[in-house]
């Protein structure tokens, strides 16, 4: 966990979220004062799909996964998130039930902005509501691309894209991001991930530094990602 001296204030995280960024610092500080701070243990559920939404969550420290379960009970990871990321935005904005499960992958500290506060803030600042609509549109487009990746491209392309994204996004390589988690995110099996990683290592695209994957030929990896 971060110490109080090194922790990033909530209002700074809020300023990075598109629909909060339209507010001035004083308004963001007022919202931060109303937030509830909570902690979770590894593998602890923050909420389950279909629960009544408590509001918008923002991660202070740690990593979480947003998941769905198939009828057979298989887990699919929609998102891997880390410090500064928000989740449950849709339910917090439309007042509906939570659309997926949120599970801690490590010790997690997070802020909760209650639903009532979100509704009051949207009513008070119409410009924020407009920005929220634009962000939701971008999220829907991103989800469409994600579905396209899973249905149209082989595992080696999906994994190449994941590794490139992982190199730029610390949330994709945090605690709990195992081969099993990557497999659940890419809709395949851990065994397949291991085989493809071995192939990438044999071709000189990656190498392993203990359990960490290091990209050694980013240009070739990008070529694989656009097949």
């Amino acid at each position: 966990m971060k110490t109080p001296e090194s922790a990033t204030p909530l209002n700074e995280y809020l300023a990075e979220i598109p629909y909060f960024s339209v507010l001035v610092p004083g308004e963001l500080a007022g919202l931060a004062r109303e937030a509830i701070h909570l902690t979770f243990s590894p593998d602890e559920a923050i909420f389950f799909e279909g629960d009544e939404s408590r509001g918008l969550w923002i991660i202070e420290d740690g990593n979480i996964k947003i998941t769905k379960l198939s009828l057979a009970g298989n887990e699919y990871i929609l998102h891997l998130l880390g410090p500064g990321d928000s989740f449950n935005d849709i339910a917090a904005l439309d007042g509906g039930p939570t659309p997926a499960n949120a599970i801690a992958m490590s010790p997690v500290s997070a802020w909760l902005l209650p639903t009532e506060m979100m509704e009051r803030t949207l009513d008070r600042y119409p410009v924020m509501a407009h920005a929220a609509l634009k962000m939701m549109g971008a999220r829907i487009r991103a989800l469409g691309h994600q579905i396209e990746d899973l249905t149209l491209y082989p595992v080696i392309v999906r994994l190449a894209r994941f590794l490139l994204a992982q190199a730029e996004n610390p949330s994709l390589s945090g605690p709990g991001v195992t081969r099993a988690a990557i497999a659940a995110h890419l809709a395949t099996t851990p065994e397949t991930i291991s085989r493809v990683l071995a192939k990438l290592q044999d071709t000189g695209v990656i190498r392993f530094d203990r359990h960490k994957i290091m990209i050694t030929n980013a240009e070739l990896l990008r070529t694989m990602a656009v097949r």
Side-chain angles (χ1 to χ4, degrees):
M1 296 291 182
K2 296 178 182 178
T3 64
E5 291 78 13
S6 64
T8 302
L10 174 56
N11 52 303
E12 291 187 20
Y13 281 139
L14 289 173
E16 297 299 318
I17 298 175
Y19 54 88
F20 284 111
S21 66
V22 298
L23 304 181
V24 301
E27 294 164 344
L28 294 176
L31 296 178
R33 286 193 292 270
E34 294 190 53
I36 301 167
H37 190 263
L38 297 165
T39 59
F40 300 89
S41 302
D43 299 320
E44 183 177 355
I46 299 170
F47 55 73
F48 292 107
E49 181 179 356
D51 285 351
E52 181 179 354
S53 174
R54 297 176 63 188
L56 176 70
W57 295 84
I58 299 173
I59 303 169
E60 176 188 34
D61 200 33
N63 292 78
I64 73 150
K65 57 184 178 180
I66 304 298
T67 73
K68 287 267 196 180
L69 294 179
S70 70
L71 292 177
N74 297 319
E75 180 184 71
Y76 172 60
I77 298 178
L78 297 169
H79 304 291
L80 295 164
L81 304 174
D85 289 331
S86 65
F87 60 100
N88 199 46
D89 302 66
I90 293 176
L93 291 169
D94 73 5
T98 54
N101 311 297
I103 311 294
M105 303 177 72
S106 67
V108 168
S109 60
W111 292 283
L112 171 65
L113 278 64
T115 299
E116 300 78 12
M117 189 193 83
M118 291 292 294
E119 292 175 347
R120 188 172 67 249
T121 304
L122 288 169
D123 288 341
R124 185 175 182 182
Y125 303 109
V127 64
M128 177 179 160
H130 179 70
L133 284 174
K134 291 183 67 175
M135 193 204 75
M136 289 297 105
R139 291 273 178 94
I140 292 171
R141 290 178 186 274
L143 181 59
H145 291 309
Q146 189 173 355
I147 293 171
E148 179 183 87
D149 280 352
L150 296 178
T151 56
L152 299 181
Y153 297 99
V155 174
I156 192 168
V157 174
R158 303 194 318 252
L159 182 56
R161 292 178 178 181
F162 177 83
L163 294 175
L164 290 168
Q166 188 181 55
E168 298 182 358
N169 183 354
S171 298
L172 299 180
S173 57
V177 184
T178 61
R179 293 188 186 186
I182 295 172
H185 184 50
L186 299 181
T188 186
T189 65
E191 294 78 16
T192 300
I193 292 296
S194 293
R195 285 196 300 270
V196 176
L197 286 173
K199 181 177 180 179
L200 293 176
Q201 183 182 34
D202 290 342
T203 57
V205 174
I206 64 169
R207 66 177 176 85
F208 294 100
D209 182 4
R210 295 184 181 180
H211 297 295
K212 189 174 182 181
I213 301 170
M214 310 294 292
I215 297 173
T216 54
N217 191 330
E219 183 177 354
L220 180 54
L221 190 61
R222 282 193 288 269
T223 299
M224 293 178 172
V226 297
R227 287 180 180 175

